[in-house]
PDB file of all heavy atoms in Angstrom:
ATOM      1  N   GLY A 296    -110.118 -38.079   2.566  1.00 35.00           N
ATOM      2  CA  GLY A 296    -108.952 -37.331   2.097  1.00 35.00           C
ATOM      3  C   GLY A 296    -107.656 -37.948   2.595  1.00 35.00           C
ATOM      4  O   GLY A 296    -107.628 -38.526   3.668  1.00 35.00           O
ATOM      5  N   GLN A 303    -106.754 -36.563  12.001  1.00 36.00           N
ATOM      6  CA  GLN A 303    -107.456 -37.412  12.930  1.00 36.00           C
ATOM      7  C   GLN A 303    -106.611 -37.699  14.155  1.00 36.00           C
ATOM      8  O   GLN A 303    -107.120 -37.988  15.215  1.00 36.00           O
ATOM      9  CB  GLN A 303    -107.811 -38.718  12.211  1.00 36.00           C
ATOM     10  CG  GLN A 303    -108.557 -39.718  13.042  1.00 36.00           C
ATOM     11  CD  GLN A 303    -109.964 -39.258  13.289  1.00 36.00           C
ATOM     12  OE1 GLN A 303    -110.356 -38.210  12.805  1.00 36.00           O
ATOM     13  NE2 GLN A 303    -110.704 -40.020  14.032  1.00 36.00           N
ATOM     14  N   GLY A 319    -121.294 -29.731   4.852  1.00 35.00           N
ATOM     15  CA  GLY A 319    -122.487 -30.300   4.222  1.00 35.00           C
ATOM     16  C   GLY A 319    -122.406 -31.815   4.088  1.00 35.00           C
ATOM     17  O   GLY A 319    -123.321 -32.535   4.473  1.00 35.00           O
ATOM     18  N   ARG A 345    -112.667 -51.809  22.439  1.00 81.00           N
ATOM     19  CA  ARG A 345    -111.760 -51.810  23.593  1.00 81.00           C
ATOM     20  C   ARG A 345    -110.388 -52.381  23.215  1.00 81.00           C
ATOM     21  O   ARG A 345    -109.347 -51.850  23.601  1.00 81.00           O
ATOM     22  CB  ARG A 345    -112.353 -52.638  24.727  1.00 81.00           C
ATOM     23  CG  ARG A 345    -112.942 -51.898  25.883  1.00 81.00           C
ATOM     24  CD  ARG A 345    -114.230 -51.383  25.687  1.00 81.00           C
ATOM     25  NE  ARG A 345    -114.843 -50.383  26.453  1.00 81.00           N
ATOM     26  CZ  ARG A 345    -115.793 -49.648  25.917  1.00 81.00           C
ATOM     27  NH1 ARG A 345    -116.122 -49.795  24.646  1.00 81.00           N
ATOM     28  NH2 ARG A 345    -116.418 -48.751  26.619  1.00 81.00           N
ATOM     29  N   GLY A 509     -44.667 -16.795 -37.521  1.00 72.00           N
ATOM     30  CA  GLY A 509     -43.322 -16.553 -37.005  1.00 72.00           C
ATOM     31  C   GLY A 509     -42.430 -17.721 -37.328  1.00 72.00           C
ATOM     32  O   GLY A 509     -42.438 -18.235 -38.446  1.00 72.00           O
ATOM     33  N   GLU A 523     -33.587 -22.993 -28.183  1.00 85.00           N
ATOM     34  CA  GLU A 523     -34.907 -23.607 -28.082  1.00 85.00           C
ATOM     35  C   GLU A 523     -35.883 -22.720 -28.836  1.00 85.00           C
ATOM     36  O   GLU A 523     -35.785 -21.500 -28.758  1.00 85.00           O
ATOM     37  CB  GLU A 523     -35.315 -23.693 -26.606  1.00 85.00           C
ATOM     38  CG  GLU A 523     -36.641 -24.352 -26.368  1.00 85.00           C
ATOM     39  CD  GLU A 523     -37.195 -24.040 -24.990  1.00 85.00           C
ATOM     40  OE1 GLU A 523     -37.266 -22.849 -24.628  1.00 85.00           O
ATOM     41  OE2 GLU A 523     -37.554 -24.977 -24.279  1.00 85.00           O
ATOM     42  N   LEU A 539     -53.831 -26.303 -32.661  1.00 83.00           N
ATOM     43  CA  LEU A 539     -53.546 -27.433 -31.769  1.00 83.00           C
ATOM     44  C   LEU A 539     -52.961 -26.964 -30.447  1.00 83.00           C
ATOM     45  O   LEU A 539     -53.212 -27.562 -29.413  1.00 83.00           O
ATOM     46  CB  LEU A 539     -52.555 -28.383 -32.433  1.00 83.00           C
ATOM     47  CG  LEU A 539     -53.117 -29.332 -33.475  1.00 83.00           C
ATOM     48  CD1 LEU A 539     -51.998 -30.080 -34.134  1.00 83.00           C
ATOM     49  CD2 LEU A 539     -54.082 -30.297 -32.832  1.00 83.00           C
ATOM     50  N   ASP A 630     -43.329 -42.499 -15.427  1.00 50.00           N
ATOM     51  CA  ASP A 630     -44.765 -42.619 -15.555  1.00 50.00           C
ATOM     52  C   ASP A 630     -45.166 -44.047 -15.236  1.00 50.00           C
ATOM     53  O   ASP A 630     -45.314 -44.881 -16.111  1.00 50.00           O
ATOM     54  CB  ASP A 630     -45.172 -42.236 -16.975  1.00 50.00           C
ATOM     55  CG  ASP A 630     -46.674 -42.247 -17.130  1.00 50.00           C
ATOM     56  OD1 ASP A 630     -47.350 -42.621 -16.158  1.00 50.00           O
ATOM     57  OD2 ASP A 630     -47.154 -41.883 -18.199  1.00 50.00           O
ATOM     58  N   GLU A 716     -19.521 -21.991 -15.524  1.00 80.00           N
ATOM     59  CA  GLU A 716     -18.987 -21.184 -14.427  1.00 80.00           C
ATOM     60  C   GLU A 716     -19.071 -19.701 -14.724  1.00 80.00           C
ATOM     61  O   GLU A 716     -19.196 -18.878 -13.823  1.00 80.00           O
ATOM     62  CB  GLU A 716     -17.542 -21.595 -14.134  1.00 80.00           C
ATOM     63  CG  GLU A 716     -17.488 -22.770 -13.171  1.00 80.00           C
ATOM     64  CD  GLU A 716     -16.174 -23.507 -13.254  1.00 80.00           C
ATOM     65  OE1 GLU A 716     -15.154 -22.853 -13.508  1.00 80.00           O
ATOM     66  OE2 GLU A 716     -16.180 -24.744 -13.073  1.00 80.00           O
ATOM     67  N   ASN A 743     -22.600 -31.747  -2.202  1.00 84.00           N
ATOM     68  CA  ASN A 743     -22.172 -30.447  -1.665  1.00 84.00           C
ATOM     69  C   ASN A 743     -23.356 -29.593  -1.234  1.00 84.00           C
ATOM     70  O   ASN A 743     -23.485 -28.444  -1.621  1.00 84.00           O
ATOM     71  CB  ASN A 743     -21.301 -29.713  -2.680  1.00 84.00           C
ATOM     72  CG  ASN A 743     -21.966 -29.681  -4.036  1.00 84.00           C
ATOM     73  OD1 ASN A 743     -23.151 -29.999  -4.150  1.00 84.00           O
ATOM     74  ND2 ASN A 743     -21.232 -29.316  -5.059  1.00 84.00           N
ATOM     75  N   LEU A 814     -18.400 -34.880   2.014  1.00 79.00           N
ATOM     76  CA  LEU A 814     -18.356 -36.297   1.662  1.00 79.00           C
ATOM     77  C   LEU A 814     -17.777 -36.428   0.256  1.00 79.00           C
ATOM     78  O   LEU A 814     -18.299 -35.862  -0.700  1.00 79.00           O
ATOM     79  CB  LEU A 814     -19.771 -36.876   1.703  1.00 79.00           C
ATOM     80  CG  LEU A 814     -19.939 -38.313   1.233  1.00 79.00           C
ATOM     81  CD1 LEU A 814     -19.256 -39.255   2.198  1.00 79.00           C
ATOM     82  CD2 LEU A 814     -21.402 -38.657   1.116  1.00 79.00           C
ATOM     83  N   LEU A 816     -17.189 -38.839  -2.631  1.00 77.00           N
ATOM     84  CA  LEU A 816     -17.537 -40.174  -3.096  1.00 77.00           C
ATOM     85  C   LEU A 816     -16.490 -40.740  -4.041  1.00 77.00           C
ATOM     86  O   LEU A 816     -16.501 -41.928  -4.351  1.00 77.00           O
ATOM     87  CB  LEU A 816     -18.892 -40.139  -3.806  1.00 77.00           C
ATOM     88  CG  LEU A 816     -20.087 -39.909  -2.897  1.00 77.00           C
ATOM     89  CD1 LEU A 816     -21.337 -39.749  -3.730  1.00 77.00           C
ATOM     90  CD2 LEU A 816     -20.253 -41.066  -1.934  1.00 77.00           C
ATOM     91  N   GLY A 843     -38.695 -11.718 -15.519  1.00 83.00           N
ATOM     92  CA  GLY A 843     -39.197 -13.095 -15.449  1.00 83.00           C
ATOM     93  C   GLY A 843     -38.382 -14.082 -16.241  1.00 83.00           C
ATOM     94  O   GLY A 843     -38.848 -15.165 -16.549  1.00 83.00           O
ATOM     95  N   TRP A 936     -67.226 -16.302 -27.557  1.00 82.00           N
ATOM     96  CA  TRP A 936     -66.347 -15.769 -28.603  1.00 82.00           C
ATOM     97  C   TRP A 936     -67.016 -15.832 -29.962  1.00 82.00           C
ATOM     98  O   TRP A 936     -66.942 -14.897 -30.760  1.00 82.00           O
ATOM     99  CB  TRP A 936     -65.044 -16.567 -28.669  1.00 82.00           C
ATOM    100  CG  TRP A 936     -64.190 -16.489 -27.457  1.00 82.00           C
ATOM    101  CD1 TRP A 936     -63.814 -17.524 -26.668  1.00 82.00           C
ATOM    102  CD2 TRP A 936     -63.591 -15.326 -26.886  1.00 82.00           C
ATOM    103  NE1 TRP A 936     -63.028 -17.081 -25.643  1.00 82.00           N
ATOM    104  CE2 TRP A 936     -62.871 -15.730 -25.752  1.00 82.00           C
ATOM    105  CE3 TRP A 936     -63.598 -13.981 -27.216  1.00 82.00           C
ATOM    106  CZ2 TRP A 936     -62.172 -14.864 -24.943  1.00 82.00           C
ATOM    107  CZ3 TRP A 936     -62.900 -13.103 -26.414  1.00 82.00           C
ATOM    108  CH2 TRP A 936     -62.199 -13.544 -25.293  1.00 82.00           C
ATOM    109  N   CYS A1115     -63.034   7.336 -13.087  1.00 68.00           N
ATOM    110  CA  CYS A1115     -62.546   5.960 -13.236  1.00 68.00           C
ATOM    111  C   CYS A1115     -63.264   5.204 -14.328  1.00 68.00           C
ATOM    112  O   CYS A1115     -63.097   4.005 -14.467  1.00 68.00           O
ATOM    113  CB  CYS A1115     -62.680   5.206 -11.927  1.00 68.00           C
ATOM    114  SG  CYS A1115     -61.352   5.606 -10.818  1.00 68.00           S
TER     115      CYS A1115
END
Side-chain angles (χ1 to χ4, degrees):
Chain A
Q303 180 71 2
R345 256 79 198 155
E523 182 198 52
L539 281 174
D630 184 356
E716 274 159 33
N743 50 12
L814 174 68
L816 290 174
W936 296 119
C1115 280

